[in-house]
Amino acid sequence: MTGANRTYDGVEVVAMTDPMLRASDADRERVVSRLREQVGEGRLTLDEFSERSAAAYAARTAGELDALTRDLPADAQSAEVAPIVVPRWLVPLAVALVVLLVLGALSTWAWPATADAMSQMMSQMGRMCG
């Protein structure tokens, strides 16, 4: 027995079929459609697609069809790239950096350093030092 995995609403379902069962036209079309998707994903060349689709249309049994897709992922979702792993210490550091940047932007916006304010500050420093 061979298994053909399918995903429905996020649940993987394994369908067991006898490789000696006769293949239907719908079975052949499903295989060719899957092969076409794999060409789009870059896993098969056009020559490989031509060879495999011709073999799919000539296939008489489910086992012959299964052999044409055995080296391919079950579907596009199963071949997704693994997520990037971020070290745990990096998240609080990034949050702190964002908070500091926001506070700095707010302080600049709330208390702009105008030329008048700067001259007042310089005169007060002169009186304190002088």
Side-chain angles (χ1 to χ4, degrees):
M1 297 232 168
T2 61
N5 297 348
R6 298 278 186 247
T7 303
Y8 299 100
D9 294 327
V11 177
E12 186 173 4
V13 178
V14 178
M16 302 304 282
T17 59
D18 183 354
M20 297 308 294
L21 284 178
R22 298 287 289 200
S24 69
D25 289 340
D27 295 332
R28 292 181 193 92
E29 288 298 329
R30 270 193 297 277
V31 169
V32 171
S33 174
R34 185 164 163 218
L35 293 171
R36 193 175 297 115
E37 290 173 6
Q38 299 303 316
V39 170
E41 294 287 327
R43 290 189 182 87
L44 293 176
T45 65
L46 289 176
D47 290 336
E48 290 172 315
F49 171 73
S50 296
E51 291 171 11
R52 291 186 190 205
S53 60
Y57 286 123
R60 293 186 180 188
T61 65
E64 291 173 39
L65 289 176
D66 185 44
L68 297 173
T69 58
R70 189 171 292 139
D71 62 338
L72 300 172
D75 58 20
Q77 294 171 349
S78 66
E80 288 181 4
V81 177
I84 297 172
V85 178
V86 177
R88 296 192 97 176
W89 59 268
L90 190 58
V91 174
L93 181 65
V95 170
L97 182 62
V98 168
V99 168
L100 288 174
L101 287 172
V102 168
L103 288 176
L106 287 176
S107 68
T108 302
W109 176 69
W111 300 286
T114 62
D116 190 39
M118 290 298 286
S119 67
Q120 287 178 359
M121 182 179 73
M122 294 301 284
S123 66
Q124 287 175 358
M125 286 177 66
R127 277 186 245 138
M128 289 173 30
C129 295

